[in-house]
């Protein structure tokens, strides 16, 4: 089947620290991969995406590379800001009737 | 509208009550999805519409859940005889007609948080 696994637990780090959030996937076919972000009190919004193997998605200083050999799509940012505090969801798709499959999400808290 | 709009944002229901949650997608968007997000979990697919046709309802957890989109725009998710396990955030998302490469991006509303007492 199609599924996404994110690392367990919230992530707390200091401003300007390096952020990595792990995401691995299981998929049939060749899905696109996404990172969505949910800021406090807001809906999910697309952060970045990659549509095929070795593609790198990037936005707002965040990057993720579609690694088919390791079935991964880890999210990285070199220097986080307090405003990056949010919940981050990895997702893949579309499959079936155009649906996306989401991971459980990781809460990121950036401390000044 | 400019974005996906959902109402109500918060709903408290007594167990056994019926509730209706509304989604107003981005104007012109063909595809509409409902997801359920339990506390601390990622969104789980419930159902999918293409225009007014409900093409996939395989994610609906029971026959107490019913969704409709009669004119191909606004959609309503109805939950009958609510139970405590129905407490969650219900997310609506829409997507335009695919053109070129369909990369599957969804546009989400802020969600309706349902609490069943």
């Amino acid at each position: 089947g199609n599924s996404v696994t994110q690392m367990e637990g919230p992530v707390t780090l200091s401003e300007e620290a390096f952020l990595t959030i792990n995401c691995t996937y299981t998929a049939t076919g060749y899905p696109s991969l996404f990172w969505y972000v949910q800021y406090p009190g807001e809906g999910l919004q697309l952060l970045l995406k990659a549509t095929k193997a070795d593609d790198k998605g990037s936005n707002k200083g965040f990057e993720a590379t579609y690694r088919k050999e390791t079935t991964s799509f880890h999210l990285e940012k070199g220097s986080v800001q307090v405003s990056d505090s949010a919940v981050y969801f990895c997702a893949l798709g579309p499959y079936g009737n155009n649906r996306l499959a989401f991971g459980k999400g990781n809460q990121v808290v950036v401390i000044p | 509208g400019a974005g996906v709009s959902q109402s109500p944002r918060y709903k408290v229901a007594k167990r056994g009550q019926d509730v209706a949650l509304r989604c107003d997608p981005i104007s012109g968007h063909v595809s509409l999805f409902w997801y359920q997000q339990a506390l601390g979990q990622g969104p789980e697919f419930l159902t999918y519409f293409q225009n007014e046709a409900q093409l996939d309802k395989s994610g609906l957890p029971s026959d107490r859940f019913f969704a409709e989109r009669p004119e191909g725009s606004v959609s309503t998710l109805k939950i009958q005889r609510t139970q405590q396990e129905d407490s969650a955030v219900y997310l609506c998302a829409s997507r335009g007609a695919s053109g070129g490469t369909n990369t599957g991006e969804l546009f989400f509303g802020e969600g309706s948080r349902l609490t069943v007492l």
Side-chain angles (χ1 to χ4, degrees):
Chain A
N2 295 282
S3 65
V4 173
T5 301
Q6 290 183 236
M7 53 193 281
E8 292 289 330
V11 178
T12 302
L13 60 171
S14 299
E15 203 166 21
E16 299 183 3
F18 185 87
L19 171 69
T20 299
I21 305 176
N22 290 341
C23 171
T24 57
Y25 67 89
T26 302
T28 55
Y30 304 97
S32 297
L33 297 173
F34 307 84
W35 277 99
Y36 278 81
V37 59
Q38 188 171 32
Y39 298 105
E42 299 184 15
L44 276 79
Q45 54 187 276
L46 181 67
L47 179 60
L48 55 83
K49 64 186 178 188
T51 59
K52 60 183 187 296
D54 300 325
D55 269 3
K56 177 185 285 186
S58 61
N59 186 26
K60 299 182 180 179
F62 290 89
E63 292 184 340
T65 301
Y66 190 156
R67 301 281 190 205
K68 192 175 178 186
E69 64 276 12
T70 55
T71 61
S72 65
F73 193 55
H74 304 322
L75 182 68
E76 297 182 334
K77 185 173 185 180
S79 176
V80 293
Q81 306 299 314
V82 172
S83 58
D84 294 324
S85 297
V87 182
Y88 293 80
F89 294 91
C90 186
L92 71 80
Y95 68 95
N97 268 317
N98 287 308
R99 69 175 74 177
L100 297 185
F102 287 84
K104 291 185 176 182
N106 287 103
Q107 173 137 30
V108 172
V109 177
V110 180
I111 300 170
Chain B
V4 178
S5 178
Q6 293 188 245
S7 62
R9 290 290 309 278
Y10 304 93
K11 175 68 178 179
V12 179
K14 292 183 179 178
R15 191 173 57 182
Q17 280 185 327
D18 298 348
V19 300
L21 308 176
R22 175 189 168 105
C23 173
D24 203 337
I26 293 172
S27 178
H29 273 193
V30 169
S31 300
L32 185 146
F33 300 79
W34 284 98
Y35 281 80
Q36 181 190 58
Q37 186 178 14
L39 188 65
Q41 302 295 314
E44 295 284 344
F45 172 82
L46 293 177
T47 187
Y48 161 63
F49 290 86
Q50 184 170 312
N51 296 306
E52 70 278 5
Q54 189 176 20
L55 299 185
D56 189 345
K57 55 182 180 180
S58 62
L60 296 176
S62 78
D63 59 7
R64 297 186 294 105
F65 287 70
F66 172 77
E68 60 183 5
R69 193 186 185 198
E71 296 179 0
S73 55
V74 171
S75 177
T76 304
L77 176 67
K78 298 179 179 177
I79 309 173
Q80 297 176 323
R81 305 181 303 281
T82 52
Q83 304 294 315
Q84 285 189 320
E85 63 262 28
D86 300 335
S87 295
V89 177
Y90 291 86
L91 300 171
C92 178
S94 69
R95 186 174 70 224
S98 60
T101 302
N102 180 0
T103 59
E105 177 181 354
L106 297 181
F107 295 85
F108 282 86
E110 294 177 338
S112 293
R113 182 180 296 278
L114 172 65
T115 302
V116 181
L117 303 177

